[in-house]
């Protein structure tokens, strides 16, 4: 056996399940002294059957429930789990995770809380992947997949994955940082079986390394390559060669340094694509004025399998007709980087009858949303992002667009909607027209904005959402809200697992209603709201069941947070200051609480105090 074969070993395929009774008993003999056949003991039979049955359980929640039945189920469930999900990298140590789960082939790990995306957390807070990378490489040399979100990943971590996991196939980094193009170069060169490399909204430093050309020569097994977040020039000739050598490539998302002319060359080499991110969707600055334009329409028409389209980062609208041939088959369209008007959208959206996911900028105005509502009857997810995110910016979309969507897209299950104004009537209409909503995130960007028609708070609108949308699990509230809105959420939001609150509420009672009324609550994010120590104490019965609680710019004191820490020793209570502050003030700027089997972490920066 070669050294490489020894390193690329497989997880144990079977383990003996022998009870203490079976271990201590000998075979009984007959009168003639010959041993008789000894049948398996009931515990052993049960565990063997369980192992075969649990292989068919794929839901994380179902597996967690199975592990709680009894010690035998707990043991067998761990032995049969091939995909490990950890929602907080500090909730459990790598050593504990690898000791319990011994046959893992895929790891999904999350780090910083979501509010880190909005610069509400100081840099260098933590969530380092390094201890996990080292532990996984040692415990799972057969590991094939790693998905990370909001983690700090270094070039050395990428080298560890590539060099020690010889069968590694899939890396997905979402909102990660800490690595650069030199780390990517080592990673893609060493991962000979790589099928997926997805870099999504991650910060990748430009080390002036030509990482694309470091993919191995010859035919590639690559199925998905996403690098639209990489803000540096690439070697296009190497990329074109890689695409041509990847017959299994289905997903390709390009960065803004790829021109529409280069996109054309890639498309004619990969007509099998199902997901495409177009890059800039404008011509290169160095293209000659006399050069003949490629036939972009035919290039798109040749991509018969294309169902998902994104990109358009530096769009010239004159090129939009090129995508007309694929619109009828699209199920997902992302225009969240395309500053286009309603008139430019209409010829496209009118052809998208199968569309289920649509992301767009509010530059399309209410008129554009009305066009979406008129055509996209199969729409399941809508996200409307602001061109101008300032609180006092213009608001090109309003209650008019939301009402149109609710009336035209009645199969809607998820919505994120940024606007400057909204009415209770429009939100109530959505609750009645779209009762299958699972996610409702309404972000009224101006602080404490009331219903512009009635002058009333937005309480009744959000109340209607939690009352009429019985499947709701995620909710984000905004606008002028009193404690009444939180009373509605506590009374009716029995399935809500994630709640985001900004600039809302009257008093501690608002948070108390939520903590005492929402039994499924897992993630609670609050900023700039009038909730203090008494509100925090009202959740003592529930914090061990939650993944985390984040509160920033509220009315908490160090003593109030300390009281929680004393009452709940298995809860990690972090008080986070600005990076330039030496000691805690009388008021707590950021509180981040999460459950952990390990206790306080050891990689604390100076601006974090664990109580």
């Amino acid at each position: 056996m070669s050294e490489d074969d020894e390193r690329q070993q497989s997880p144990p395929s079977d383990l003996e399940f022998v009870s203490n009774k079976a271990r201590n008993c000998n075979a009984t003999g007959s009168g003639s002294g010959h041993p008789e056949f000894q049948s398996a003991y009931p515990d052993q039979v049960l565990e063997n059957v369980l192992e075969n049955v649990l292989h068919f359980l794929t839901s994380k929640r179902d597996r967690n429930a199975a592990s709680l039945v009894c010690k035998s189920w707990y043991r067998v469930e761990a032995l049969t789990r091939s995909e490990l999900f950890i929602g907080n990298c500090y909730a459990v140590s790598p050593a504990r995770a690898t000791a319990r789960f011994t046959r893992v082939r895929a790891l999904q790990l999350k780090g910083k809380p979501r509010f880190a995306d909005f610069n509400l957390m100081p840099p260098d807070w933590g969530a380092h992947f390094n201890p996990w990378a080292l532990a996984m490489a040692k415990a799972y040399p057969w590991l094939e997949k790693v998905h990370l979100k909001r983690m700090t990943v270094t070039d050395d971590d990428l080298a560890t994955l590539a060099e020690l996991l010889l069968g590694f196939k899939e890396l997905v980094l979402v909102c990660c940082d800490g690595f650069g193009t030199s780390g990517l170069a080592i990673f893609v060169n060493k991962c000979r079986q790589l099928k997926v490399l997805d870099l999504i909204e991650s910060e990748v430093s430009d080390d002036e390394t030509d990482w694309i050309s470091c993919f191995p020569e010859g035919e590639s097994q690559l199925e998905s390559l996403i690098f639209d977040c990489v803000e540096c020039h690439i070697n296009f000739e190497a990329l074109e060669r890689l695409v041509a050598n990847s017959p299994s490539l289905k997903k390709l998302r390009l960065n803004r340094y790829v021109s529409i002319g280069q996109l054309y060359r890639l498309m004619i080499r990969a007509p099998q694509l199902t997901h495409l991110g177009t890059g800039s969707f404008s011509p290169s600055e160095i293209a000659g004025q006399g050069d003949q334009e490629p036939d972009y329409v035919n290039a798109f028409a040749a991509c018969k399998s294309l169902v998902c389209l994104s990109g358009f980062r530096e769009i010239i609208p004159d090129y939009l007709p090129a995508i007309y041939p694929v619109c009828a088959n699209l199920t997902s369209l992302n225009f969240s980087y395309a500053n286009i008007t309603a008139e430019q959208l209409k010829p496209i959206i009118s052809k998208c009858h199968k569309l289920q996911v649509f992301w767009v900028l509010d530059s399309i105005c209410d008129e554009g949303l009305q066009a979406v509502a008129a055509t996209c009857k199969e729409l399941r997810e809508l996200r409307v992002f602001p061109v101008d995110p300032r609180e006092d910016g213009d608001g090109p979309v309003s209650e008019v667009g939301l009402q149109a969507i609710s009336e035209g897209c009645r199969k809607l299950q998820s919505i994120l909607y940024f606007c400057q104004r909204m009415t209770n009537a429009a939100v109530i209409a959505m609750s009645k027209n779209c009762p299958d909503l699972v996610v409702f995130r309404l972000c009224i960007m101006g602080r404490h904005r009331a219903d512009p028609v009635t002058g009333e708070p937005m309480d009744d609108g959000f109340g209607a959402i939690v009352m009429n949308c019985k499947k709701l699990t995620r909710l984000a509230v905004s606008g002028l809200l009193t404690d009444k809105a939180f009373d509605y959420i506590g009374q009716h939001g029995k399935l809500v697992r994630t709640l985001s609150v900004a600039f809302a509420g009257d008093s501690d009672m608002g948070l108390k209603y939520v903590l005492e009324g929402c039994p499924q609550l897992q993630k609670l994010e609050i900023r700039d709201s009038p909730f203090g120590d008494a509100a925090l104490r009202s959740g003592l019965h529930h914090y061990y069941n939650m993944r985390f609680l984040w509160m920033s710019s509220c009315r908490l004191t160090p003593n109030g947070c300390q009281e929680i820490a004393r009452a709940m020793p298995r809860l990690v209570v972090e008080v986070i200051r600005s990076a330039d502050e030496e000691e805690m003030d009388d008021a707590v700027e950021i509180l981040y609480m999460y459950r952990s089997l390990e206790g306080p972490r050891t990689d604390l920066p100076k601006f974090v105090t664990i109580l």
Side-chain angles (χ1 to χ4, degrees), residues 346-364:
K346 285 178 182 179
I348 297 170
I349 209 67
S350 64
K351 300 173 176 61
C352 298
H353 294 278
K354 295 182 180 179
L355 203 63
Q356 296 184 19
V357 177
F358 185 46
W359 294 14
V360 70
L361 290 175
D362 61 7
S363 58
I364 66 168

Side-chain angles (χ1 to χ4, degrees), residues 21-41:
K21 181 177 180 181
R23 190 177 295 114
N24 295 329
C25 292
N26 296 320
T28 59
S30 64
S32 61
H34 297 292
E36 294 178 350
F37 172 77
Q38 178 131 2
S39 62
Y41 285 90

Side-chain angles (χ1 to χ4, degrees), residues 305-489:
S305 302
L306 202 61
V307 294
C308 179
L309 197 54
S310 61
F312 309 101
R313 289 184 172 250
E314 295 176 359
I315 187 172
I316 292 182
D318 289 347
Y319 289 97
L320 279 175
I323 71 171
Y324 288 174
V326 300
C327 288
N329 288 328
L330 290 180
T331 59
S332 177
L333 178 60
N334 185 343
F335 275 154
S336 61
Y337 289 97
N339 193 345
I340 59 175
T341 67
E343 291 304 316
Q344 292 160 348
L345 173 68
K346 285 178 182 179
I348 297 170
I349 209 67
S350 64
K351 300 173 176 61
C352 298
H353 294 278
K354 295 182 180 179
L355 203 63
Q356 296 184 19
V357 177
F358 185 46
W359 294 14
V360 70
L361 290 175
D362 61 7
S363 58
I364 66 168
C365 303
D366 289 329
E367 183 182 355
L369 292 175
Q370 289 169 332
V372 173
T375 300
C376 305
K377 303 304 179 181
E378 299 298 318
L379 197 66
R380 303 297 198 276
E381 178 183 333
L382 173 66
R383 299 191 186 190
V384 181
F385 299 95
V387 173
D388 180 2
R390 295 176 302 173
E391 290 184 29
D392 57 351
D394 294 329
V397 298
S398 67
E399 70 275 6
V400 175
L402 188 77
Q403 177 118 12
I405 291 294
S406 75
E407 292 173 355
C409 307
R410 296 182 178 245
K411 295 181 181 180
L412 199 67
Q413 297 176 355
S414 175
I415 184 168
L416 170 62
Y417 196 88
F418 283 87
C419 61
Q420 290 288 357
R421 55 170 283 158
M422 183 54 59
T423 64
N424 281 304
V427 179
I428 292 170
M430 173 151 281
S431 76
K432 294 178 178 178
N433 294 330
C434 304
D436 290 334
L437 277 173
V438 177
V439 176
F440 183 79
R441 293 192 286 167
L442 176 60
C443 301
I444 304 171
M445 288 180 288
R447 303 186 188 192
H448 311 297
R449 294 275 176 92
D451 183 319
V453 176
T454 65
E456 295 293 319
M458 294 297 299
D459 299 339
D460 290 341
F462 286 103
I465 290 291
V466 292
M467 280 188 271
N468 297 328
C469 302
K470 305 297 185 183
K471 302 176 184 178
L472 194 73
T473 62
R474 185 171 184 181
L475 176 65
V477 300
S478 56
L480 180 62
L481 295 175
T482 71
D483 290 342
K484 181 181 177 183
F486 296 97
D487 189 14
Y488 284 137
I489 296 170

Side-chain angles (χ1 to χ4, degrees), residues 73-310:
W73 285 55
Y74 176 88
R75 181 168 59 253
V76 177
E77 190 283 318
L79 290 171
T80 58
R81 188 178 293 213
S82 61
E83 297 184 359
L84 181 59
F85 170 81
I86 299 173
N88 179 354
C89 64
Y90 291 120
V92 64
S93 68
R96 186 188 293 264
T98 54
R100 177 181 172 191
F101 302 103
T102 57
R103 301 181 181 179
V104 170
R105 288 186 176 274
L107 170 69
Q108 186 175 353
L109 185 64
K110 293 186 177 182
K112 305 179 188 81
R114 191 182 66 93
F115 272 14
D117 295 347
F118 303 97
N119 298 318
L120 294 178
M121 176 176 280
D124 304 318
W125 171 81
H128 302 288
F129 179 55
N130 181 257
W132 288 94
L134 296 175
M136 295 293 139
K138 182 179 180 180
Y140 310 134
W142 52 80
L143 193 70
E144 296 178 352
K145 301 177 183 180
V146 170
H147 291 207
L148 305 178
K149 190 170 186 178
R150 300 190 186 96
M151 299 285 292
T152 295
V153 182
T154 66
D155 290 343
D156 288 341
D157 297 335
L158 295 177
T160 296
L161 294 180
E163 293 170 359
L164 299 183
L165 305 175
L166 298 188
F168 195 76
K169 297 177 181 177
E170 184 171 318
L171 179 64
V172 178
L173 302 179
V174 181
C175 300
C176 293
D177 57 21
F179 63 100
T181 52
S182 56
L184 290 176
I186 295 173
F187 178 78
V188 301
N189 181 255
K190 296 288 183 68
C191 287
R192 299 281 169 167
Q193 299 184 43
L194 191 65
K195 292 185 177 181
V196 175
L197 177 59
D198 291 353
L199 309 174
I200 302 171
E201 296 184 33
S202 293
E203 296 181 17
V204 183
S205 62
D206 182 6
D207 305 327
E208 298 183 353
T209 302
D210 179 11
W211 65 280
I212 288 286
S213 66
C214 292
F215 278 89
E217 295 289 338
E219 185 167 301
S220 166
Q221 300 181 43
L222 208 59
E223 297 174 1
S224 177
L225 178 61
I226 295 176
F227 63 95
D228 51 356
C229 63
V230 180
E231 289 293 326
C232 59
H233 288 278
I234 60 160
N235 182 336
F236 179 74
E237 286 70 25
L239 175 62
E240 187 175 26
R241 186 166 57 250
L242 175 64
V243 170
N245 291 335
S246 303
S248 299
L249 190 66
K250 299 295 184 183
K251 298 181 181 180
L252 178 64
R253 278 166 50 180
L254 309 164
N255 69 3
R256 65 186 182 92
Y257 294 96
V258 177
S259 69
I260 191 170
Q262 293 171 326
L263 172 67
Y264 170 82
R265 289 167 59 179
L266 296 175
M267 291 179 69
I268 61 176
R269 284 163 176 75
Q272 76 278 6
L273 289 174
T274 61
H275 295 62
L276 176 64
T278 65
S280 69
F281 216 67
S282 59
S284 169
E285 293 180 359
I286 61 175
Q289 291 185 351
D291 293 347
Q292 183 177 357
E293 287 270 30
D295 191 343
Y296 301 120
V297 173
N298 278 340
F300 275 96
C303 293
K304 305 292 186 183
S305 302
L306 202 61
V307 294
C308 179
L309 197 54
S310 61

